[in-house]
Amino acid sequence: MVILQLALPTTSSANLRPKLPSLGGKQVTVPPSLCVSNSQQSEHPTSSSRPANRQSVAAIVFGDGSESQLYPLTKRRSEGAVHIAGSYRLIDAVVSNCINSNITKIYALTQFNSTSLNSHLCRAYSGVGLEVVAAYQSPEARGWFQGTADAVRRCLWLVEEHPVAEFLVLPGYHLYRMDYQKLIQAHQQSKADITIVALSAEISRETGFGFLEVNSENQVVEFSKRSEKEPATIISVKSPRKSNDNGYKKLASMGIYVVKKEIMIKLLREHFPKANGFGSEVIPGAISIGMKVEAFAFDGYWEDMRNIEAFYQANMEITKKTDVGYNFYDRDSPLYTLPRNLPPTLITDAVITDSVIGDGCILDRCEIRGTIVGLRTKIGDRAVIEDSVIMGSDIYQQAEDELSSGMKGTGNDIPIGIGEDTHIRKAIVDKNARIGKQVLIVNRDNVQEGNREAHGYTISEGIVVVLKGAVIPDGSIL
């Protein structure tokens, strides 16, 4: 008997070459060649099949940061490559926004733990105008990217050769849906040098990108941000531009910027040639020298994945029958990713309620409640999974590998997946984890913070996180 209370996502594929979902009524085939640029040569992605439209904007997407808030999920991958909702990666939301906004020139700048991210972007999006620019060293710049501003500065030679009027700067690891064309139109109509996207509601929590003091004409008159070197210190800069308006409001920046092309070049090469951080140095610097900086209010769902708790809740919201959270089923603004050509999920007498199940899973006589189950997940008989995120597996393990003849006691005798009679509650299980039989992952002692990496897991804000490839022996209690 199978009980399903939430529709399972399905995909179909007709051939072995990866394809993107339909764009503009046509199918876009992704060429198999690698598309990573290292500054020595430039690839030329296949044109998108979306309706032709002259674009004034090139998007610059940052796939990672030097200090991730999602560790240990980012121990071996960048933030943008972290899996979400069973089938996607965080960067898919941002790239999909660009595609749905008909932005056909996208540069993804990557550096830290970027192998997985580079591979995903090249395989999924090279056919729609996305180019990966990996961190590089050159005779003029021996070191790696020192920050977001430094990364853009060192890639200006590449991006400035295209006939665009503005650059759209985007963090690649936030979850939200936005029509960037509305933002670009507002920027152009206001004749601003820079437009900063900010949350429309006044909030008290910090987003990490600073607060904006905005007048009634949406002009930014003051910028404040907590010092990265001294967190107890608030750095504040005021615009010298005159304003007779006293109707100020305080908005939180989302780290999304539209910058005129000539202004970007002047800021990075002339005004602040040594600045490393875009949001922490270049933006407040531009305000302080009197450039026209406007705010664009955004009132939709936005999650900046500020910590493990936020990531966990973003996943849990998918399983709830409410309008809260990100809508992964929006037909008018679809979320794209790389099709994996996997078989349908096989379910044998499982009871599944309020859950999302990815493709290619093998679910035996288990019980799954309020859980995200990722690709190729295998769950044994009588296992119970509650309120958890199971990221799945990169491979199907062969029967002879599962037996692991002669490898007893090394962890290889435990197959990838979740063993029989195991109970998991309020946990995140990263990819390729080997969880044995009769294991309890329920945070029985209600520990809020704990680092047990040597034993294959950590605890963050009461959420147990099983590391990628970890081995949890039979009978373990976490």
Side-chain angles (χ1 to χ4, degrees):
M1 177 182 65
V2 180
I3 300 176
L4 300 178
Q5 293 186 359
L6 187 68
L8 304 182
T10 59
T11 61
S12 62
S13 56
N15 56 44
L16 296 179
R17 181 172 293 182
K19 290 184 177 181
L20 284 179
S22 176
L23 300 180
K26 296 183 180 180
Q27 198 80 10
V28 180
T29 300
V30 181
S33 59
L34 187 65
C35 70
V36 178
S37 170
N38 65 355
S39 87
Q40 300 305 314
Q41 70 179 52
S42 175
E43 298 289 331
H44 300 282
T46 305
S47 298
S48 168
S49 62
R50 290 183 66 86
N53 184 23
R54 289 188 177 273
Q55 279 299 308
S56 68
V57 176
I60 300 174
V61 181
F62 298 114
D64 46 47
S66 59
E67 295 183 4
S68 170
Q69 304 301 312
L70 295 181
Y71 191 88
L73 300 179
T74 52
K75 185 176 183 179
R76 294 289 182 264
R77 63 169 76 89
S78 61
E79 286 179 294
V82 172
H83 298 268
I84 189 168
S87 300
Y88 303 96
R89 297 179 187 247
L90 285 176
I91 202 166
D92 288 331
V94 178
V95 176
S96 295
N97 284 339
C98 291
I99 295 172
N100 293 328
S101 300
N102 201 22
I103 294 176
T104 57
K105 194 60 187 174
I106 308 167
Y107 296 95
L109 275 53
T110 67
Q111 176 163 293
F112 298 98
N113 281 337
S114 62
T115 301
S116 176
L117 180 62
N118 292 345
S119 174
H120 174 75
L121 290 172
C122 288
R123 293 166 65 200
Y125 298 112
S126 61
V128 291
L130 185 145
E131 182 173 353
V132 177
V133 184
Y136 66 90
Q137 299 185 60
S138 67
E140 296 80 20
R142 297 282 182 181
W144 299 109
F145 295 160
Q146 300 302 303
T148 50
D150 183 58
V152 176
R153 182 187 299 110
R154 290 169 59 178
C155 296
L156 275 178
W157 68 270
L158 176 64
V159 299
E160 70 181 340
E161 66 185 23
H162 294 282
V164 298
E166 294 96 10
F167 292 121
L168 175 62
V169 181
L170 304 164
Y173 39 87
H174 295 171
L175 185 63
Y176 63 100
R177 180 174 279 106
M178 181 186 297
D179 183 353
Y180 294 140
Q181 289 295 344
K182 295 180 180 179
L183 164 63
I184 295 163
Q185 290 170 7
H187 170 80
Q188 294 172 343
Q189 290 172 1
S190 69
K191 295 181 170 55
D193 296 319
I194 300 171
T195 297
I196 305 174
V197 182
L199 297 176
S200 60
E202 298 189 47
I203 62 172
S204 57
R205 79 167 178 87
E206 294 187 55
T207 62
F209 298 100
F211 287 101
L212 312 176
E213 197 82 21
V214 180
N215 65 18
S216 61
E217 297 179 345
N218 289 326
Q219 296 179 356
V220 179
V221 297
E222 185 174 353
F223 176 91
S224 59
K225 187 178 187 298
R226 190 174 298 277
S227 171
E228 295 179 358
K229 295 181 179 179
E230 300 179 11
T233 303
I234 302 295
I235 300 175
S236 179
V237 295
K238 292 186 178 182
S239 172
R241 298 174 68 90
K242 292 183 179 180
S243 175
N244 298 321
D245 190 344
N246 293 320
Y248 298 144
K249 55 184 176 181
K250 189 175 184 180
L251 304 178
S253 169
M254 294 168 57
I256 299 172
Y257 314 102
V258 181
V259 186
K260 285 183 178 177
K261 179 178 179 179
E262 66 272 17
I263 294 297
M264 177 77 85
I265 294 171
K266 286 183 180 180
L267 285 171
L268 295 178
R269 288 182 175 165
E270 299 177 17
H271 295 296
F272 310 104
K274 301 297 183 181
N276 292 327
F278 203 87
S280 59
E281 297 177 72
V282 175
I283 294 299
I287 295 171
S288 69
I289 62 176
M291 287 190 170
K292 186 178 182 182
V293 181
E294 300 262 331
F296 179 86
F298 176 72
D299 60 1
Y301 172 86
W302 178 74
E303 179 51 66
D304 57 351
M305 302 299 168
R306 59 195 178 278
N307 51 37
I308 288 292
E309 168 69 18
F311 174 79
Y312 172 80
Q313 291 299 337
N315 277 277
M316 290 298 97
E317 285 168 353
I318 305 168
T319 68
K320 295 177 172 57
K321 300 173 183 177
T322 66
D323 293 331
V324 177
Y326 185 90
N327 180 11
F328 286 84
Y329 304 93
D330 191 327
R331 296 182 62 183
D332 296 327
S333 185
L335 183 61
Y336 302 117
T337 192
L338 175 69
R340 279 85 172 182
N341 304 306
L342 291 172
T345 287
L346 176 62
I347 304 174
T348 306
D349 286 348
V351 178
I352 305 173
T353 58
D354 297 335
S355 297
V356 173
I357 311 296
D359 291 337
C361 298
I362 301 174
L363 309 178
D364 293 334
R365 295 169 179 82
C366 57
E367 186 174 348
I368 301 172
R369 297 192 293 266
T371 291
I372 305 293
V373 180
L375 306 171
R376 304 184 190 90
T377 297
K378 185 174 182 181
I379 302 179
D381 288 342
R382 299 175 301 280
V384 178
I385 318 295
E386 303 175 86
D387 303 327
S388 295
V389 180
I390 313 297
M391 291 193 176
S393 172
D394 290 319
I395 61 171
Y396 284 117
Q397 197 168 15
Q398 300 299 320
E400 55 268 25
D401 294 334
E402 293 185 18
L403 294 175
S404 300
S405 177
M407 301 295 286
K408 292 290 183 180
T410 65
N412 290 325
D413 53 316
I414 300 175
I416 295 175
I418 299 170
E420 298 172 359
D421 300 298
T422 286
H423 189 179
I424 300 175
R425 183 175 64 238
K426 196 178 180 182
I428 300 172
V429 179
D430 207 341
K431 275 201 163 184
N432 303 331
R434 301 167 181 263
I435 299 176
K437 301 176 182 179
Q438 298 179 333
V439 172
L440 281 179
I441 304 178
V442 296
N443 193 7
R444 186 175 61 177
D445 298 326
N446 196 29
V447 176
Q448 291 304 299
E449 301 292 333
N451 186 347
R452 303 276 289 176
E453 283 194 51
H455 299 275
Y457 70 98
T458 65
I459 300 176
S460 177
E461 298 184 77
I463 301 166
V464 179
V465 183
V466 178
L467 275 59
K468 183 177 182 179
V471 178
I472 308 298
D474 296 350
S476 298
I477 300 176
L478 310 187

